[in-house]
Amino acid sequence: FINLLNKLEMKCSQCNETIQKGNRNDHINTCLFDCPRNCGTKINRKTFNEHDNICLEKIIGCPNGCGLLIKKREIENHNID
């Protein structure tokens, strides 16, 4: 019965690929999906934290302490103003 359940097909919630339920854990480690911040980078769960540190669309507090929350890609222009 469990073998039958593992053969059921399902859609990956990240990449929409059709996979067998029994292969889900393997797929999760290799599945490529778009960065949730829409920066255009394809990432997977293994690289998510690394990408999170460098993603230019990530919102961070101004490093100069002005209190503004700003995307990383806008920091350089913000510091000029």
Side-chain angles (χ1 to χ4, degrees):
F1 182 70
I2 291 176
N3 286 338
L4 289 176
L5 290 177
N6 285 336
K7 291 181 181 181
L8 287 175
E9 291 188 342
M10 59 183 282
K11 289 264 189 195
C12 172
S13 62
Q14 297 293 328
C15 72
N16 288 322
E17 183 178 332
T18 301
I19 59 172
Q20 287 187 339
K21 187 175 174 90
N23 296 334
R24 182 178 178 274
N25 289 337
D26 291 335
H27 176 77
I28 285 172
N29 292 324
T30 59
C31 169
L32 289 176
F33 56 92
D34 293 324
C35 170
R37 293 188 186 91
N38 297 316
C39 73
T41 303
K42 292 276 189 189
I43 56 177
N44 65 35
R45 284 192 166 93
K46 288 181 180 179
T47 60
F48 179 81
N49 288 336
E50 179 182 328
H51 174 73
D52 186 55
N53 291 329
I54 62 168
C55 181
L56 296 179
E57 294 297 311
K58 183 176 183 175
I59 295 175
I60 62 171
C62 172
N64 293 329
C66 77
L68 183 68
L69 294 177
I70 190 168
K71 291 182 179 182
K72 276 188 170 187
R73 67 177 166 81
E74 298 171 351
I75 288 292
E76 190 174 312
N77 289 334
H78 169 67
N79 288 337
I80 291 172
D81 295 341

